[in-house]
Amino acid sequence: MPNHASRRNLLAAAAMAAVTAAGAASAAAGPRRGSVPDDARPPGSRPGRARLRAIVDGMSLDEKVGQLFVSRAYGHSATDPEPADAEQNLAAFGVRTAAELVSRYHLGGIIYFAWAHNTRDPRQIASLSVGLQQAALTTGARIPLLLSTDQEHGAVARIGRPAALLPGAMALGAAGSTAHARRAARIAGTELAAMGIRQDYAPVADVNVNPANPVIGVRSFGSDPHAVAELVAAQVHGYQGAGVAATAKHFPGHGDTETDSHVGLPVMRHTRATWEELDEPPFRAAVEAGVDAIMTAHIVFPALDPSGDPATLSRPIVTGLLRERLGFEGVVVTDALDMAGVRQKYGDDRVPVLALLAGCDQLLNPPDLGLAHRSVRAAVEAGELSAARIEQSVLRILELKARRGLLDEAYTTGRDVDGVVGIQEHLDAADTIAAATTTLLADPHGLVPFDGTAGPRLLVTGADPVSPSGTTGPPTVVLARELTALGCRATAVPPARAVAAAPGHAAVLVCTYNVPEGMSPQRTLVADLIATGVPVVSLAVRNPYDPARLPACAVELATYSWTDVEMRAAARVLTGRVRPSGRLPVPVPGRYPLGHGLTR
């Protein structure tokens, strides 16, 4: 296990007509089954249980079980998907449309993915949301869906432009501002709500103390548990102030693992005392901030439960720690049940049952929804799961839906989308927040800022990772364009041409992306560029640990993301339009301590 102490010092007109028409139809229809009064809507309020209890009492067993599940569905439309998506739905669920899926299983929620073709653009997303809500509100118990997605921003964003893309967690950690963190979440939540999405699987509450962590990294605010806790609480307030359920993840903490739970089963080696000191504070802060939901981790944590069960299936962790120790009364959602980390020990028929026995409420994206639904129902009929236990989770889910106003009004409208999503006010705020995140790590010769009035020739090269939303970049081209707009003469070239092109330039800027230990093409590129004698500026565009794995460069920066907003911020720092103010929220072993950052 890597040393813990050293680590610490270490998101079309026809479509909109459908949206608007659905909203009007909803208003004309008047109160629906299960509607709650206006006083149930404010963030943090607790809806009257008697009213919600009456809804539960009127539901069939199938409807109650269905409320526990949040599933994927393929297609951009609830009722008219592309043929390929209809075939995907048929193969996975036995129905052709998302609307049929909602009706067949009485689902409690749907999760949107770009790869499932749910997120083409804001207007389409809003129309999809309306269609899904129509399916839910005209069948079965007529309870609105909780529509959700992973819109963390930074490295994980399912929805791209024209929606606002904001700095991610570690960038916000570098800024160190709870006001920025809250504002970013408020903007993100406002735009999600306008598209009909009322639960975001954010913020990440994991404390990243392991540079080798393959799945968290920049998705974490940093390595200081108390700083992370403050930013988590700020984002909970921001999201929920916008009417969107925040979801702190991944309990009991995923920040010191070296296995990706999507493909394997990580083991957390912290002692109980270390967990209490390092991993617990951000989750406690989320609970105290009134977070609506907390997501479990598919990790084994022997010090907390020696059974070898992943935390998602562990009653000592979910009920003993989260419910009883932290006093959390909200919704516990599993991480996706199609991930390898939760499937290695038990079959897909047992996993959902064991998750409910552990104390979870929402069962997210099982690989075989029909099998999972049948298994939970069979467990109730056999007495393994009591009816009271199922109803307990259903009641929590209904409380969340009522608290976010869904039982009062489930539909979004065209006006919501056009007047909110990607508006200039939000884009300007994203730039303002990003300006405080870029971290200048090294500049021993005072090379920056570049004097834009002198029009220096700059070469930009290096890694060009695909945008997390597929709508921005490539980062080298964006950086070169922004530098040019600020007075430089910057040209982007691919790495294969960079060394030959370097002579005659004032500097070469190299974007690096998660440089591995030892020799690598990225390390070789930087070394060869340094050998040309031209000053080299490295920009770590994802995890900030890259400088420790590269030869020392003339200038070193960390941007924590490679989306356009962070590339614009880096360009402004490099040209002196913005003073660098970001501070490392994690240590870079062997190079820079926690909190390091140069100013000008």
Side-chain angles (χ1 to χ4, degrees):
M1 169 187 170
N3 183 270
H4 168 63
S6 67
R7 294 178 190 146
R8 288 281 307 273
N9 294 338
L10 291 179
L11 163 238
M16 291 320 303
V19 173
T20 305
S26 169
R32 293 180 297 278
R33 176 181 175 184
S35 63
V36 296
D38 289 342
D39 63 5
R41 298 192 64 175
S45 66
R46 186 162 189 170
R49 278 212 163 192
R51 294 183 177 90
L52 300 182
R53 181 74 248 182
I55 298 174
V56 175
D57 289 343
M59 297 168 66
S60 69
L61 177 57
D62 273 346
E63 291 167 351
K64 293 172 187 174
V65 171
Q67 277 297 302
L68 309 178
F69 285 98
V70 179
S71 177
R72 69 196 180 282
Y74 298 95
H76 72 288
S77 166
T79 57
D80 188 25
E82 298 290 345
D85 290 321
E87 291 302 315
Q88 286 267 62
N89 284 325
L90 190 62
F93 310 115
V95 297
R96 290 190 174 275
T97 71
E100 292 175 292
L101 177 66
V102 169
S103 299
R104 171 174 287 193
Y105 290 103
H106 312 292
L107 291 177
I110 291 285
I111 178 173
Y112 289 168
F113 291 109
W115 54 261
H117 307 142
N118 305 139
T119 57
R120 287 181 178 177
D121 61 71
R123 290 183 170 216
Q124 166 270 318
I125 295 168
S127 182
L128 172 62
S129 298
V130 167
L132 290 170
Q133 295 292 14
Q134 286 175 328
L137 289 166
T138 55
T139 60
R142 299 185 180 183
I143 296 173
L145 294 160
L146 192 57
L147 301 174
S148 60
T149 196
D150 292 283
Q151 189 78 348
E152 298 171 14
H153 290 272
V156 176
R158 310 300 186 203
I159 302 167
R161 293 186 303 187
L165 288 173
L166 295 131
M170 194 169 285
L172 293 171
S177 166
T178 55
H180 279 340
R182 185 182 302 108
R183 189 179 187 191
R186 185 66 178 252
I187 291 169
T190 299
E191 295 202 356
L192 289 173
M195 292 179 275
I197 299 170
R198 303 301 289 273
Q199 181 173 18
D200 193 10
Y201 298 123
V204 171
D206 304 313
V207 180
N208 199 82
V209 293
N210 190 342
N213 194 319
V215 69
I216 303 301
V218 292
R219 298 169 64 197
S220 163
F221 291 105
S223 64
D224 181 328
H226 302 294
V228 172
E230 290 182 353
L231 294 169
V232 165
Q235 290 228 297
V236 168
H237 289 304
Y239 281 117
Q240 295 185 180
V244 168
T247 308
K249 61 186 184 185
H250 309 78
F251 190 82
H254 209 316
D256 193 8
T257 57
E258 295 184 355
T259 300
D260 184 344
S261 52
H262 292 84
V263 298
L265 180 56
V267 178
M268 180 72 92
R269 299 295 182 187
H270 289 181
T271 64
R272 170 69 180 249
T274 299
W275 177 79
E276 292 178 1
E277 176 190 5
L278 182 69
D279 303 295
E280 180 185 25
F283 291 101
R284 182 175 291 281
V287 173
E288 291 174 353
V291 70
D292 277 341
I294 291 179
M295 179 182 284
T296 62
H298 301 329
I299 61 171
V300 171
F301 208 134
L304 304 182
D305 180 356
S307 70
D309 286 345
T312 298
L313 309 183
S314 168
R315 187 169 180 81
I317 291 175
V318 177
T319 296
L321 293 180
L322 182 54
R323 293 289 189 204
E324 296 172 0
R325 177 181 170 87
L326 297 187
F328 181 58
E329 297 181 352
V331 170
V332 178
V333 55
T334 71
D335 207 343
L337 298 183
D338 61 344
M339 294 166 60
V342 78
R343 302 174 71 187
Q344 290 192 352
K345 189 174 179 181
Y346 301 100
D348 291 336
D349 59 332
R350 293 298 299 158
V351 166
V353 175
L354 294 174
L356 292 169
L357 288 170
C360 297
D361 302 303
Q362 282 185 316
L363 304 169
L364 178 62
N365 201 34
D368 186 333
L369 177 61
L371 174 65
H373 191 284
R374 292 192 301 273
S375 297
V376 171
R377 180 184 175 111
V380 176
E381 292 171 339
E384 183 181 12
L385 280 168
S386 69
R389 172 67 194 87
I390 297 297
E391 291 173 1
Q392 180 184 49
S393 287
V394 174
L395 192 56
R396 289 191 187 113
I397 293 165
L398 292 180
E399 283 186 327
L400 191 161
K401 291 180 177 183
R403 191 160 51 244
R404 296 297 144 227
L406 280 168
L407 299 189
D408 183 45
E409 179 50 71
Y411 293 112
T412 187
T413 69
R415 184 175 55 199
D416 294 333
V417 175
D418 293 339
V420 170
V421 180
I423 59 175
Q424 195 61 46
E425 177 186 347
H426 292 173
L427 301 179
D428 291 344
D431 279 328
T432 298
I433 294 167
T437 67
T438 304
T439 306
L440 180 60
L441 300 173
D443 183 17
H445 307 296
L447 186 64
V448 299
F450 297 113
D451 182 2
T453 62
R457 292 185 68 215
L458 303 174
L459 194 68
V460 183
T461 190
D464 266 331
V466 175
S467 168
S469 64
T471 62
T472 71
T476 60
V477 173
V478 173
L479 182 59
R481 183 181 68 227
E482 295 297 326
L483 289 167
T484 298
L486 295 171
C488 301
R489 291 175 292 161
T491 304
V493 299
R497 292 171 44 201
V499 175
H505 287 84
V508 180
L509 285 65
V510 185
C511 294
T512 67
Y513 182 94
N514 289 7
V515 178
E517 297 280 3
M519 294 304 299
S520 68
Q522 293 187 80
R523 181 181 176 88
T524 299
L525 173 64
V526 170
D528 289 347
L529 287 168
I530 291 173
T532 68
V534 177
V536 175
V537 178
S538 69
L539 298 89
V541 300
R542 185 160 179 162
N543 289 335
Y545 309 113
D546 289 359
R549 300 163 184 173
L550 295 169
C553 296
V555 179
E556 296 174 348
L557 298 95
T559 68
Y560 312 99
S561 181
W562 59 102
T563 53
D564 291 6
V565 69
E566 293 292 1
M567 293 298 97
R568 286 196 298 271
R572 293 200 298 276
V573 166
L574 287 167
T575 57
R577 300 302 177 93
V578 171
R579 296 183 61 187
S581 59
R583 303 280 181 170
L584 277 174
V586 296
V588 178
R591 292 296 292 276
Y592 304 114
L594 175 69
H596 174 75
L598 304 179
T599 58
R600 286 285 185 268

